[in-house]
Amino acid sequence: MPEVHTVFFSKAESEIDFAEARAETEFDRLAAEGLLWRQNEGSSIFRIGMTLLDAKTRLPHGRWLAFLLDGRVGYQPRPAQLLMNIGRARDGETLARFGVAKATELLRIASLPDRERFVSEHNVALLTVPELRRLIKALGHLNGNQNDSARRSR
């Protein structure tokens, strides 16, 4: 059987630099685009919550559920309530950039200064929702510093 030799080709350093620079530029462009869409998503979440709050105050009694279920609106009551909670929060715009599920978990921290401190000290964007929930619980940041079982028993 013939002997197999591995041959490595090397490119001129300028070619490698050019390819790496092009890849880095593409990486930067895609990262910036992703950030823009993420910011738009957060802004939309907050604005939807605000719009739902406004609609609820303006609609005649008994029309809220019909409004939510209308094909142009299309929300079930529970998701609508979560969006409204985000819209109602003083830091709702900040929370919304993490998405509805994480914002909802962060709202379990009752004190606005505590919530702001928590967000500044932890990379919430990289945490999963269960990790965020466990961290909030472990640090004793639940509303009124109650644990989950005490809250559920009410």
Side-chain angles (χ1 to χ4, degrees), residues 91 109 111-122 141:
D91 58 343
I109 303 172
S111 160
L112 179 61
D114 286 347
R115 198 164 50 235
E116 289 172 338
R117 185 171 39 260
F118 183 92
V119 168
S120 72
E121 291 174 357
H122 300 89
H141 283 301

Side-chain angles (χ1 to χ4, degrees), residues 10 19 41 67 78 80 85 101 110 124 128 131 135 139 152:
S10 67
E41 175 190 28
F67 172 79
R78 183 62 181 147
N85 289 344
V124 174
T128 65
E131 288 170 338
L135 184 58
L139 296 175
R152 287 187 189 127

Side-chain angles (χ1 to χ4, degrees), residues 58-77:
R58 293 174 185 262
L59 289 171
H61 182 73
R63 297 293 299 155
W64 176 242
L65 186 57
F67 172 79
L68 288 178
L69 298 178
D70 182 281
R72 295 167 290 178
V73 180
Y75 284 104
Q76 292 292 320

